[in-house]
Amino acid sequence: QVQLVESGGGLVQAGGSLRLSCTASGRAFSSYNMGWFRQAPGKARELAATISRNGANTYYADSVKGRFTIFRDNAKNTVYLQMNSLKPEDTAVYSCAADAAWLKLTTDYNYWGQGTQVTVSS
């Protein structure tokens, strides 16, 4: 069992930056590939970025590529999402998730956090 808790969301102006954190407790954090998902009002949840167990491999959705960076610190049981050049369309609830499988682009991850709201004003 893995428990995930996100933090770092908030209100930011377009063009600004935010860093989200997701801290895990429970079973070995380094055993899991981690993903950041987001869900905007009225839209389906989508994968923003994912990172492999040791951090060597990453994947980004086209909509965030070049603006967002996912990275992890296994010693701190934490995965981060650095979001730069934010746009109003980035407004969503952002959730982290953990799964044993790599490059899982669907939402059927094993473990989920509760989510944190990110609002980007124009």
Side-chain angles (χ1 to χ4, degrees), residues 5-46:
V5 178
E6 301 97 335
S7 61
L11 174 64
V12 64
Q13 288 189 332
S17 298
L18 279 176
R19 177 178 291 184
L20 306 183
S21 300
C22 170
T23 300
S25 60
R27 293 187 61 187
F29 176 70
S30 59
S31 300
Y32 294 95
N33 302 286
M34 300 297 297
W36 279 102
F37 287 79
R38 64 184 187 179
Q39 186 167 21
K43 294 188 177 181
R45 180 179 281 174
E46 63 175 5

Side-chain angles (χ1 to χ4, degrees), residues 47-67:
L47 177 69
T50 185
I51 188 167
S52 60
R53 293 180 180 87
N54 62 2
N57 299 293
T58 57
Y59 168 87
Y60 297 93
D62 287 343
S63 56
V64 307
K65 200 174 295 182
R67 300 186 299 120

